[in-house]
Amino acid sequence: MAAHNLKSLTLGRATLLTATVAACAAGAMMPTMRAGAAQPDTKGRKMLVYIGTYTQRGSEGIYRFQLDTETGALTAPMVAAKTPNPSFLALHPSGRYLYACNETTSYQGTKSGSISAFAVDPNTGDLTFLNQQSSRGGAPCHVVVDKLGKNVLVANYVGGNVASLPVQADGKLGEATGFVQHQGSSVNPRRQESPHAHSINLDAANRFAFAADLGLDKVLIYRFDSATGNLTPNTPGYASVDPGSGPRHFTFHPSGKFAYVINEMLSTVTMFHYNAEKGALDRIQAITTLPDDFKGNTSTAEVQVHPSGKFLYGSNRGHDSIAIFTIDPSTGLLRKAGHQSTGGKTPRNFGIDPSGKFLLAANQDSGTVNVFRIDASTGALTPTGHSAQVPMPVCVKFVTPAE
Protein backbone atom coordinates (compact mmCIF):
# COMPACT_ATOMS: atom_id res chain seq x y z
CA MET A 1 0.00 0.00 0.00
CA ALA A 2 1.24 3.41 -0.94
CA ALA A 3 -0.45 5.26 1.89
CA HIS A 4 1.00 5.96 5.31
CA ASN A 5 -2.29 4.64 6.73
CA LEU A 6 -2.04 1.06 5.59
CA LYS A 7 -5.73 0.33 5.93
CA SER A 8 -6.90 3.26 3.83
CA LEU A 9 -6.64 1.94 0.31
CA THR A 10 -8.19 4.35 -2.15
CA LEU A 11 -7.84 7.53 -0.10
CA GLY A 12 -4.32 6.75 1.06
CA ARG A 13 -3.01 5.75 -2.36
CA ALA A 14 -4.67 8.78 -3.96
CA THR A 15 -3.01 11.09 -1.42
CA LEU A 16 0.41 9.68 -2.20
CA LEU A 17 -0.06 9.69 -5.95
CA THR A 18 -1.32 13.25 -6.18
CA ALA A 19 2.05 14.51 -4.98
CA THR A 20 3.75 13.34 -8.19
CA VAL A 21 1.14 14.11 -10.84
CA ALA A 22 2.62 17.54 -11.51
CA ALA A 23 6.09 16.07 -11.92
CA CYS A 24 4.80 13.49 -14.40
CA ALA A 25 2.93 16.10 -16.39
CA ALA A 26 6.11 18.10 -16.66
CA GLY A 27 7.87 15.08 -18.14
CA ALA A 28 10.35 14.75 -15.26
CA MET A 29 11.22 11.19 -16.21
CA MET A 30 14.83 11.45 -17.34
CA PRO A 31 17.48 9.97 -15.07
CA THR A 32 20.67 11.67 -14.04
CA MET A 33 23.81 9.75 -15.04
CA ARG A 34 26.42 9.77 -12.31
CA ALA A 35 29.83 10.44 -13.82
CA GLY A 36 32.68 8.72 -12.08
CA ALA A 37 30.44 6.24 -10.26
CA ALA A 38 32.21 3.37 -8.57
CA GLN A 39 32.91 0.30 -10.70
CA PRO A 40 31.55 -3.10 -9.64
CA ASP A 41 33.90 -5.33 -7.66
CA THR A 42 35.91 -7.55 -10.01
CA LYS A 43 36.35 -10.35 -7.47
CA GLY A 44 32.79 -11.53 -7.97
CA ARG A 45 31.65 -10.89 -4.40
CA LYS A 46 29.50 -7.86 -5.16
CA MET A 47 25.95 -8.08 -6.50
CA LEU A 48 24.11 -5.07 -7.88
CA VAL A 49 20.79 -4.28 -6.19
CA TYR A 50 18.14 -1.80 -7.35
CA ILE A 51 15.63 -0.19 -4.97
CA GLY A 52 12.30 1.21 -6.12
CA THR A 53 10.82 4.02 -4.03
CA TYR A 54 8.02 6.51 -3.65
CA THR A 55 9.42 9.93 -4.46
CA GLN A 56 8.59 11.56 -1.13
CA ARG A 57 10.70 12.42 1.92
CA GLY A 58 13.70 13.24 -0.24
CA SER A 59 13.59 10.26 -2.60
CA GLU A 60 14.63 11.00 -6.18
CA GLY A 61 13.67 7.75 -7.89
CA ILE A 62 15.49 4.44 -8.37
CA TYR A 63 18.53 3.76 -6.18
CA ARG A 64 21.34 1.25 -6.50
CA PHE A 65 23.98 -0.25 -4.25
CA GLN A 66 26.06 -3.40 -4.11
CA LEU A 67 25.68 -6.34 -1.75
CA ASP A 68 28.75 -8.23 -0.59
CA THR A 69 27.57 -11.81 -1.07
CA GLU A 70 29.93 -13.12 1.63
CA THR A 71 29.36 -10.64 4.46
CA GLY A 72 26.05 -8.94 3.62
CA ALA A 73 27.66 -5.51 3.67
CA LEU A 74 26.16 -2.81 1.44
CA THR A 75 27.85 0.00 -0.43
CA ALA A 76 26.47 3.53 -0.10
CA PRO A 77 23.22 3.99 -2.07
CA MET A 78 23.38 6.12 -5.22
CA VAL A 79 20.64 7.43 -7.50
CA ALA A 80 20.50 5.28 -10.64
CA ALA A 81 17.64 7.19 -12.28
CA LYS A 82 15.39 10.10 -11.37
CA THR A 83 11.77 9.20 -12.07
CA PRO A 84 8.49 9.72 -10.14
CA ASN A 85 7.16 6.93 -7.91
CA PRO A 86 9.08 3.95 -9.35
CA SER A 87 7.28 1.70 -6.88
CA PHE A 88 7.98 -1.65 -8.52
CA LEU A 89 10.79 -2.78 -10.80
CA ALA A 90 11.45 -5.66 -13.18
CA LEU A 91 14.62 -6.67 -15.02
CA HIS A 92 14.75 -8.00 -18.57
CA PRO A 93 16.10 -11.60 -18.79
CA SER A 94 19.13 -10.27 -20.70
CA GLY A 95 20.01 -7.94 -17.81
CA ARG A 96 20.28 -5.08 -20.29
CA TYR A 97 17.02 -3.31 -19.46
CA LEU A 98 15.00 -2.37 -16.40
CA TYR A 99 11.31 -1.44 -16.32
CA ALA A 100 9.64 0.62 -13.61
CA CYS A 101 6.03 1.30 -12.65
CA ASN A 102 5.50 5.04 -12.32
CA GLU A 103 2.68 4.74 -9.80
CA THR A 104 0.59 7.80 -10.59
CA THR A 105 -3.02 8.37 -11.64
CA SER A 106 -2.41 10.85 -14.47
CA TYR A 107 -0.38 10.37 -17.65
CA GLN A 108 -0.55 12.72 -20.64
CA GLY A 109 -4.04 13.87 -19.74
CA THR A 110 -5.44 10.39 -19.12
CA LYS A 111 -6.39 8.60 -15.90
CA SER A 112 -3.43 6.27 -16.05
CA GLY A 113 0.02 5.67 -14.73
CA SER A 114 2.97 4.70 -16.88
CA ILE A 115 5.82 2.24 -17.36
CA SER A 116 9.33 3.56 -17.95
CA ALA A 117 12.07 1.66 -19.79
CA PHE A 118 15.75 2.08 -18.95
CA ALA A 119 19.01 0.71 -20.32
CA VAL A 120 21.35 -0.74 -17.68
CA ASP A 121 24.98 0.40 -17.75
CA PRO A 122 26.89 -2.88 -17.20
CA ASN A 123 29.86 -1.06 -15.67
CA THR A 124 28.20 1.32 -13.23
CA GLY A 125 24.63 0.10 -12.83
CA ASP A 126 23.29 3.53 -13.80
CA LEU A 127 20.12 3.67 -15.85
CA THR A 128 19.56 5.56 -19.11
CA PHE A 129 15.96 6.49 -19.85
CA LEU A 130 14.68 4.93 -23.10
CA ASN A 131 10.98 5.69 -23.28
CA GLN A 132 7.67 5.56 -21.47
CA GLN A 133 4.21 4.20 -22.23
CA SER A 134 0.79 4.36 -20.62
CA SER A 135 0.08 1.49 -18.25
CA ARG A 136 -3.59 1.68 -19.33
CA GLY A 137 -4.81 2.23 -15.77
CA GLY A 138 -4.27 4.31 -12.66
CA ALA A 139 -1.62 3.45 -10.05
CA PRO A 140 0.42 0.69 -11.71
CA CYS A 141 1.87 -1.18 -8.74
CA HIS A 142 3.44 -4.40 -10.04
CA VAL A 143 5.35 -5.29 -13.20
CA VAL A 144 7.06 -8.38 -14.63
CA VAL A 145 8.87 -9.24 -17.86
CA ASP A 146 7.85 -12.45 -19.58
CA LYS A 147 10.33 -15.32 -19.69
CA LEU A 148 11.27 -14.67 -23.34
CA GLY A 149 11.80 -10.95 -22.75
CA LYS A 150 9.17 -10.00 -25.32
CA ASN A 151 6.57 -8.31 -23.12
CA VAL A 152 6.19 -6.31 -19.91
CA LEU A 153 3.05 -7.12 -17.92
CA VAL A 154 1.58 -4.65 -15.43
CA ALA A 155 -1.15 -4.63 -12.76
CA ASN A 156 -2.97 -1.31 -12.31
CA TYR A 157 -4.34 -0.91 -8.79
CA VAL A 158 -6.73 2.02 -9.15
CA GLY A 159 -7.57 1.06 -12.72
CA GLY A 160 -8.48 -2.47 -11.64
CA ASN A 161 -6.98 -3.98 -14.76
CA VAL A 162 -3.91 -5.64 -16.27
CA ALA A 163 -2.02 -4.95 -19.48
CA SER A 164 0.84 -6.26 -21.60
CA LEU A 165 3.29 -4.00 -23.46
CA PRO A 166 5.67 -5.30 -26.16
CA VAL A 167 9.44 -4.96 -25.70
CA GLN A 168 11.11 -3.71 -28.86
CA ALA A 169 14.56 -4.76 -30.10
CA ASP A 170 16.22 -1.76 -28.45
CA GLY A 171 14.51 -2.33 -25.10
CA LYS A 172 11.92 0.39 -25.58
CA LEU A 173 8.25 -0.31 -24.91
CA GLY A 174 5.46 -0.23 -27.45
CA GLU A 175 1.83 0.59 -26.71
CA ALA A 176 -0.14 -2.09 -24.90
CA THR A 177 -1.23 -5.02 -27.06
CA GLY A 178 -2.95 -6.97 -24.28
CA PHE A 179 -5.50 -5.54 -21.86
CA VAL A 180 -8.17 -6.93 -19.51
CA GLN A 181 -10.50 -4.84 -17.35
CA HIS A 182 -11.53 -6.62 -14.15
CA GLN A 183 -15.14 -6.42 -12.96
CA GLY A 184 -16.90 -6.89 -9.62
CA SER A 185 -16.41 -6.31 -5.90
CA SER A 186 -16.25 -8.21 -2.62
CA VAL A 187 -17.41 -8.05 0.99
CA ASN A 188 -15.56 -5.02 2.36
CA PRO A 189 -17.38 -1.89 1.08
CA ARG A 190 -14.47 0.43 1.85
CA ARG A 191 -11.59 -1.62 0.49
CA GLN A 192 -13.31 -3.86 -2.05
CA GLU A 193 -15.88 -1.65 -3.73
CA SER A 194 -14.30 -2.31 -7.13
CA PRO A 195 -11.43 -4.27 -8.69
CA HIS A 196 -7.91 -3.50 -7.50
CA ALA A 197 -5.35 -5.53 -9.45
CA HIS A 198 -2.32 -5.77 -7.16
CA SER A 199 0.11 -8.06 -8.98
CA ILE A 200 0.62 -10.11 -12.11
CA ASN A 201 2.88 -13.14 -12.47
CA LEU A 202 3.68 -15.82 -15.05
CA ASP A 203 4.20 -19.54 -14.63
CA ALA A 204 7.53 -21.15 -15.55
CA ALA A 205 6.24 -22.21 -18.97
CA ASN A 206 5.24 -18.63 -19.86
CA ARG A 207 1.75 -19.91 -20.76
CA PHE A 208 -0.44 -18.55 -17.98
CA ALA A 209 -0.65 -15.20 -16.17
CA PHE A 210 -1.99 -14.83 -12.62
CA ALA A 211 -3.43 -11.51 -11.41
CA ALA A 212 -4.11 -11.17 -7.68
CA ASP A 213 -7.00 -8.70 -7.31
CA LEU A 214 -7.47 -7.28 -3.80
CA GLY A 215 -10.92 -5.92 -4.61
CA LEU A 216 -12.33 -9.22 -5.88
CA ASP A 217 -10.79 -11.76 -3.47
CA LYS A 218 -9.64 -13.68 -6.53
CA VAL A 219 -6.50 -14.68 -8.38
CA LEU A 220 -7.60 -14.29 -12.00
CA ILE A 221 -6.01 -16.66 -14.52
CA TYR A 222 -5.24 -15.77 -18.14
CA ARG A 223 -3.75 -17.61 -21.06
CA PHE A 224 -0.76 -15.61 -22.25
CA ASP A 225 0.59 -15.44 -25.80
CA SER A 226 4.15 -14.11 -25.73
CA ALA A 227 4.20 -13.60 -29.51
CA THR A 228 1.28 -11.17 -29.45
CA GLY A 229 1.05 -10.12 -25.79
CA ASN A 230 -2.60 -11.19 -25.70
CA LEU A 231 -4.23 -12.10 -22.38
CA THR A 232 -7.37 -14.23 -22.65
CA PRO A 233 -9.46 -15.68 -19.79
CA ASN A 234 -8.52 -19.22 -18.88
CA THR A 235 -10.88 -22.06 -17.95
CA PRO A 236 -10.97 -22.10 -14.94
CA GLY A 237 -10.81 -18.32 -14.93
CA TYR A 238 -9.86 -17.72 -11.31
CA ALA A 239 -9.15 -19.12 -7.86
CA SER A 240 -10.85 -17.64 -4.80
CA VAL A 241 -9.52 -16.80 -1.34
CA ASP A 242 -11.54 -16.28 1.84
CA PRO A 243 -13.96 -13.31 1.63
CA GLY A 244 -12.34 -10.08 2.80
CA SER A 245 -8.79 -11.44 2.43
CA GLY A 246 -7.55 -8.94 -0.15
CA PRO A 247 -5.01 -10.95 -2.21
CA ARG A 248 -1.91 -8.92 -2.97
CA HIS A 249 1.24 -10.71 -4.18
CA PHE A 250 1.64 -14.20 -5.66
CA THR A 251 4.54 -16.61 -6.05
CA PHE A 252 5.30 -20.13 -7.24
CA HIS A 253 7.30 -22.83 -5.50
CA PRO A 254 10.50 -23.70 -7.44
CA SER A 255 9.05 -27.16 -8.13
CA GLY A 256 6.14 -25.58 -10.01
CA LYS A 257 3.72 -27.79 -8.06
CA PHE A 258 2.54 -25.20 -5.54
CA ALA A 259 1.62 -21.51 -5.49
CA TYR A 260 1.06 -19.00 -2.70
CA VAL A 261 -0.77 -15.68 -2.43
CA ILE A 262 -0.37 -13.30 0.50
CA ASN A 263 -3.57 -11.58 1.57
CA GLU A 264 -3.16 -7.97 2.63
CA MET A 265 -6.35 -7.41 4.59
CA LEU A 266 -6.56 -10.60 6.68
CA SER A 267 -2.78 -11.11 6.98
CA THR A 268 -2.85 -14.67 5.71
CA VAL A 269 -1.15 -16.79 3.07
CA THR A 270 -3.29 -19.05 0.87
CA MET A 271 -1.58 -22.13 -0.57
CA PHE A 272 -2.65 -23.80 -3.84
CA HIS A 273 -1.77 -26.92 -5.76
CA TYR A 274 -0.96 -25.96 -9.36
CA ASN A 275 -1.97 -27.88 -12.48
CA ALA A 276 0.54 -26.63 -15.04
CA GLU A 277 -1.26 -28.23 -17.98
CA LYS A 278 -4.61 -26.52 -17.29
CA GLY A 279 -3.32 -23.41 -15.52
CA ALA A 280 -5.58 -24.28 -12.59
CA LEU A 281 -5.11 -23.46 -8.90
CA ASP A 282 -6.63 -25.77 -6.28
CA ARG A 283 -6.90 -24.04 -2.91
CA ILE A 284 -5.56 -26.18 -0.04
CA GLN A 285 -4.61 -24.04 2.98
CA ALA A 286 -4.86 -20.59 4.55
CA ILE A 287 -2.54 -19.67 7.42
CA THR A 288 -2.00 -16.46 9.38
CA THR A 289 1.23 -14.48 9.07
CA LEU A 290 0.89 -13.14 12.63
CA PRO A 291 1.72 -14.44 16.11
CA ASP A 292 -1.33 -15.89 17.84
CA ASP A 293 -1.29 -13.19 20.52
CA PHE A 294 -0.93 -10.15 18.23
CA LYS A 295 -3.90 -7.74 18.45
CA GLY A 296 -2.68 -4.56 16.70
CA ASN A 297 -3.42 -3.10 13.28
CA THR A 298 -1.34 -4.62 10.51
CA SER A 299 -1.41 -5.71 6.88
CA THR A 300 0.82 -7.80 4.66
CA ALA A 301 2.82 -6.89 1.56
CA GLU A 302 5.34 -9.30 -0.01
CA VAL A 303 5.60 -13.09 -0.26
CA GLN A 304 8.56 -15.10 -1.57
CA VAL A 305 9.77 -18.69 -1.52
CA HIS A 306 13.43 -19.38 -0.71
CA PRO A 307 15.44 -20.66 -3.72
CA SER A 308 15.83 -24.00 -1.94
CA GLY A 309 12.04 -24.40 -1.84
CA LYS A 310 12.24 -25.16 1.89
CA PHE A 311 10.94 -21.86 3.30
CA LEU A 312 8.38 -19.14 2.60
CA TYR A 313 8.60 -15.55 3.88
CA GLY A 314 5.94 -12.84 4.14
CA SER A 315 6.13 -9.23 5.33
CA ASN A 316 3.85 -7.79 8.02
CA ARG A 317 3.35 -4.00 8.06
CA GLY A 318 2.30 -2.86 11.53
CA HIS A 319 3.70 -5.90 13.27
CA ASP A 320 6.83 -4.87 11.29
CA SER A 321 8.19 -8.35 10.82
CA ILE A 322 8.98 -11.10 8.37
CA ALA A 323 6.86 -14.19 8.95
CA ILE A 324 8.81 -17.41 8.41
CA PHE A 325 7.26 -20.71 7.32
CA THR A 326 8.65 -24.13 6.48
CA ILE A 327 7.26 -25.86 3.39
CA ASP A 328 6.43 -29.57 3.29
CA PRO A 329 8.26 -30.78 0.16
CA SER A 330 5.61 -33.34 -0.79
CA THR A 331 2.42 -31.38 -0.08
CA GLY A 332 3.48 -27.73 -0.20
CA LEU A 333 1.74 -27.09 3.12
CA LEU A 334 3.07 -24.30 5.33
CA ARG A 335 4.04 -24.52 8.97
CA LYS A 336 4.86 -21.52 11.17
CA ALA A 337 8.56 -21.21 12.00
CA GLY A 338 8.65 -17.81 13.71
CA HIS A 339 8.95 -14.09 13.07
CA GLN A 340 11.85 -11.69 12.69
CA SER A 341 11.58 -7.94 13.31
CA THR A 342 12.72 -6.01 10.25
CA GLY A 343 14.36 -3.38 12.46
CA GLY A 344 12.28 -0.62 10.93
CA LYS A 345 8.77 0.62 10.18
CA THR A 346 6.40 -0.71 7.54
CA PRO A 347 8.35 -3.44 5.73
CA ARG A 348 7.05 -3.41 2.19
CA ASN A 349 8.84 -5.52 -0.37
CA PHE A 350 11.87 -7.63 0.45
CA GLY A 351 14.34 -9.56 -1.66
CA ILE A 352 16.15 -12.88 -1.26
CA ASP A 353 19.47 -12.93 -3.08
CA PRO A 354 19.77 -15.69 -5.72
CA SER A 355 22.19 -17.71 -3.58
CA GLY A 356 19.65 -17.78 -0.74
CA LYS A 357 22.13 -16.41 1.83
CA PHE A 358 20.56 -13.03 2.53
CA LEU A 359 17.18 -11.33 2.80
CA LEU A 360 17.01 -7.55 2.31
CA ALA A 361 13.96 -5.93 3.92
CA ALA A 362 12.77 -2.53 2.64
CA ASN A 363 11.28 -0.54 5.54
CA GLN A 364 9.17 2.08 3.79
CA ASP A 365 8.41 4.43 6.67
CA SER A 366 11.80 4.36 8.39
CA GLY A 367 13.80 4.68 5.15
CA THR A 368 16.07 1.69 5.67
CA VAL A 369 17.01 -1.46 3.80
CA ASN A 370 18.24 -3.97 6.39
CA VAL A 371 20.19 -7.15 5.69
CA PHE A 372 19.46 -10.52 7.35
CA ARG A 373 21.39 -13.78 7.01
CA ILE A 374 19.25 -16.83 6.24
CA ASP A 375 19.89 -20.09 8.10
CA ALA A 376 19.96 -22.76 5.38
CA SER A 377 18.70 -25.44 7.78
CA THR A 378 15.88 -23.67 9.61
CA GLY A 379 15.06 -20.60 7.50
CA ALA A 380 15.62 -18.35 10.52
CA LEU A 381 16.72 -14.76 9.90
CA THR A 382 19.59 -13.14 11.79
CA PRO A 383 20.34 -9.40 11.56
CA THR A 384 23.79 -8.79 10.07
CA GLY A 385 23.99 -5.20 11.29
CA HIS A 386 24.34 -4.03 7.69
CA SER A 387 21.87 -1.43 6.45
CA ALA A 388 21.37 1.25 3.81
CA GLN A 389 19.51 4.53 4.14
CA VAL A 390 17.08 4.92 1.22
CA PRO A 391 14.03 7.23 1.40
CA MET A 392 10.67 5.41 1.09
CA PRO A 393 12.04 2.06 -0.19
CA VAL A 394 9.34 -0.26 -1.54
CA CYS A 395 10.99 -2.72 -3.97
CA VAL A 396 14.22 -4.78 -3.96
CA LYS A 397 15.63 -6.30 -7.17
CA PHE A 398 18.91 -8.21 -7.53
CA VAL A 399 20.96 -8.26 -10.72
CA THR A 400 22.49 -11.70 -11.21
CA PRO A 401 26.10 -11.36 -12.46
CA ALA A 402 26.74 -12.57 -16.01
CA GLU A 403 28.43 -15.94 -16.36
Side-chain angles (χ1 to χ4, degrees):
M1 301 304 302
H4 188 71
N5 180 351
L6 299 173
K7 292 294 183 181
S8 178
L9 171 64
T10 304
L11 291 178
R13 191 173 287 272
T15 298
L16 178 64
L17 299 175
T18 300
T20 59
V21 168
C24 293
M29 305 304 300
M30 294 296 290
T32 298
M33 296 297 293
R34 301 184 68 88
Q39 300 294 309
D41 188 284
T42 58
K43 297 179 181 179
R45 285 181 49 173
K46 296 292 181 71
M47 179 174 291
L48 179 63
V49 185
Y50 288 108
I51 304 296
T53 72
Y54 286 115
T55 43
Q56 295 185 357
R57 305 179 191 172
S59 172
E60 297 183 79
I62 302 170
Y63 289 77
R64 63 171 176 83
F65 51 66
Q66 290 181 325
L67 168 72
D68 187 310
T69 57
E70 293 298 325
T71 68
L74 304 177
T75 59
M78 303 183 74
V79 177
K82 292 185 177 181
T83 187
N85 276 7
S87 63
F88 211 87
L89 313 175
L91 284 153
H92 191 273
S94 69
R96 297 173 57 193
Y97 310 111
L98 180 144
Y99 301 94
C101 289
N102 294 112
E103 192 173 328
T104 68
T105 55
S106 178
Y107 174 70
Q108 295 185 350
T110 64
K111 294 181 179 180
S112 176
S114 58
I115 306 296
S116 292
F118 299 90
V120 177
D121 187 313
N123 294 315
T124 66
D126 278 322
L127 302 173
T128 300
F129 178 77
L130 296 176
N131 81 327
Q132 188 180 55
Q133 293 285 359
S134 168
S135 68
R136 294 289 303 274
C141 59
H142 191 263
V143 63
V144 296
V145 184
D146 84 57
K147 304 295 192 294
L148 300 179
K150 293 183 177 180
N151 301 271
V152 168
L153 287 77
V154 58
N156 293 298
Y157 184 85
V158 172
N161 54 49
V162 294
S164 175
L165 291 74
V167 176
Q168 300 172 355
D170 58 1
K172 293 180 179 179
L173 293 173
E175 294 183 356
T177 55
F179 176 81
V180 182
Q181 178 64 52
H182 296 176
Q183 302 290 339
S185 59
S186 194
V187 298
N188 186 315
R190 184 171 63 89
R191 300 290 311 278
Q192 298 178 308
E193 78 296 346
S194 63
H196 294 300
H198 221 317
S199 63
I200 188 161
N201 294 88
L202 292 160
D203 68 348
N206 221 39
R207 295 179 57 217
F208 296 99
F210 302 84
D213 194 303
L214 180 146
L216 304 183
D217 282 326
K218 294 177 179 178
V219 178
L220 296 126
I221 307 170
Y222 299 104
R223 291 185 175 272
F224 172 64
D225 185 340
S226 182
T228 64
N230 285 343
L231 294 160
T232 56
N234 186 47
T235 303
Y238 63 87
S240 295
V241 297
D242 290 331
S245 293
R248 181 183 173 99
H249 280 192
F250 177 93
T251 190
F252 278 104
H253 189 272
S255 69
K257 298 178 181 180
F258 319 118
Y260 305 88
V261 64
I262 197 162
N263 300 300
E264 177 177 322
M265 295 165 59
L266 291 189
S267 295
T268 57
V269 175
T270 303
M271 174 259 168
F272 303 91
H273 284 165
Y274 179 56
N275 184 322
E277 181 62 30
K278 297 180 179 180
L281 296 170
D282 182 18
R283 176 179 152 188
I284 303 297
Q285 178 192 31
I287 186 169
T288 182
T289 63
L290 297 169
D292 293 338
D293 59 354
F294 181 75
K295 304 299 182 183
N297 292 325
T298 191
S299 65
T300 63
E302 181 61 276
V303 62
Q304 292 185 28
V305 176
H306 190 269
S308 69
K310 295 168 62 177
F311 316 111
L312 180 140
Y313 300 91
S315 57
N316 290 308
R317 301 172 296 175
H319 187 249
D320 293 342
S321 67
I322 302 295
I324 307 164
F325 301 89
T326 59
I327 301 175
D328 186 296
S330 59
T331 66
L333 291 172
L334 301 175
R335 183 174 180 178
K336 287 185 178 183
H339 296 82
Q340 172 61 51
S341 168
T342 60
K345 294 180 61 179
T346 320
R348 182 71 173 272
N349 185 245
F350 57 84
I352 301 170
D353 86 274
S355 74
K357 292 181 181 178
F358 298 103
L359 182 148
L360 275 61
N363 292 301
Q364 176 180 324
D365 287 337
S366 54
T368 55
V369 179
N370 293 338
V371 183
F372 299 84
R373 187 177 291 274
I374 301 172
D375 187 303
S377 298
T378 66
L381 303 175
T382 302
T384 64
H386 298 300
S387 182
Q389 299 288 322
V390 179
M392 296 286 282
V394 294
C395 183
V396 179
K397 288 295 175 183
F398 295 91
V399 180
T400 304
E403 297 292 337

